[in-house]
Amino acid sequence: MKRSLGSIILLVMLVSALFGTEVEFAPHRTAPLVNGKIGRNDWNYPAVFRMGFETGYKEGWFMMQQDERHLYICIEPRSIKYTGIDLFLDNGAGDVFVLHASTIHGERHLTDSGWGKTIWGPAELWSSNLTQEITIGDSMHVFPPEAFEFQISRELLPKKFLRYIMRFSGPEILVPPDADTLSSERWREWDIDDR
């Protein structure tokens, strides 16, 4: 009986150690609400990757987190509010594409002959918040979001690494300013599985 009880205690200790490691290194993360507002608990958890960037005017934050099915990206300009963004991504699997968010979604892919035609409308494997726009009388009013938040399926990002650059609109700013939009060779690269 003592051996059996000792074996059970050892098994419980091993299971506890395994679950403790899983929780410590791969915490369960509730997905942020992709609405263009920085929620109180959306982007301040220790598992969030955060990096500053310069736009030429002022700085901002680029943040990433993930769950089993999606990568979440938040791009938060700190002083100027933009009306749109092109998020250029190289997924490391041979696909280079742009996810566009303004008052509408758009997506286009880089081919050997340059950037293909933009496909406008609802996206299939990603989503983001949009810039709000209303017309009052003869005037159109645009309400830039606090941030641009993306939810991207891991089907679009199947590899461990991704490369990216950004282009804001209203005013137009490329980040980094010397980035080549036709070649991802020198784009910023991040390990999306090691944060």
Side-chain angles (χ1 to χ4, degrees), residues 29 68 82 88 108 113 146 155 194:
R29 183 68 180 122
E68 292 178 0
Y82 299 92
F88 293 74
R108 58 186 179 149
S113 57
E146 180 182 344
E155 289 181 47
D194 188 25

Side-chain angles (χ1 to χ4, degrees), residues 17-29:
L18 287 173
F19 282 113
T21 301
E22 182 177 339
V23 170
E24 182 180 349
F25 292 104
H28 175 72
R29 183 68 180 122

Side-chain angles (χ1 to χ4, degrees), residues 124-166:
E124 186 176 336
L125 294 173
W126 65 278
S127 186
S128 73
N129 61 293
L130 296 173
T131 300
Q132 301 299 309
E133 180 180 78
I134 62 168
T135 302
I136 301 174
D138 293 335
S139 301
M140 184 173 293
H141 301 271
V142 178
F143 301 93
E146 180 182 344
F148 291 98
E149 296 177 295
F150 291 84
Q151 175 182 314
I152 307 169
S153 169
R154 290 306 295 262
E155 289 181 47
L156 277 178
L157 305 170
K159 298 295 185 179
K160 185 175 171 63
F161 295 94
L162 68 77
R163 291 180 179 174
Y164 75 94
I165 59 172
M166 304 171 283

Side-chain angles (χ1 to χ4, degrees), residues 4-85:
S4 178
L5 182 59
S7 298
I8 291 171
I9 290 172
L10 181 60
L11 180 62
V12 168
M13 289 173 61
L14 285 171
V15 168
S16 296
L18 287 173
F19 282 113
T21 301
E22 182 177 339
V23 170
E24 182 180 349
F25 292 104
H28 175 72
R29 183 68 180 122
T30 302
L33 184 59
V34 180
N35 64 356
K37 294 204 170 278
I38 307 296
R40 181 182 302 178
N41 298 312
D42 284 348
W43 298 99
N44 60 0
Y45 193 77
V48 172
F49 168 82
R50 181 184 295 257
M51 182 194 74
F53 66 83
E54 289 284 333
T55 63
Y57 289 106
K58 294 291 180 180
E59 71 287 343
W61 290 107
F62 181 91
M63 296 170 271
M64 290 192 295
Q65 59 181 293
Q66 64 185 315
D67 58 27
E68 292 178 0
R69 296 174 46 206
H70 298 97
L71 178 70
Y72 302 93
I73 295 176
C74 178
I75 301 161
E76 180 191 15
R78 299 297 290 176
S79 58
I80 293 178
K81 298 304 177 192
Y82 299 92
T83 58
I85 190 168

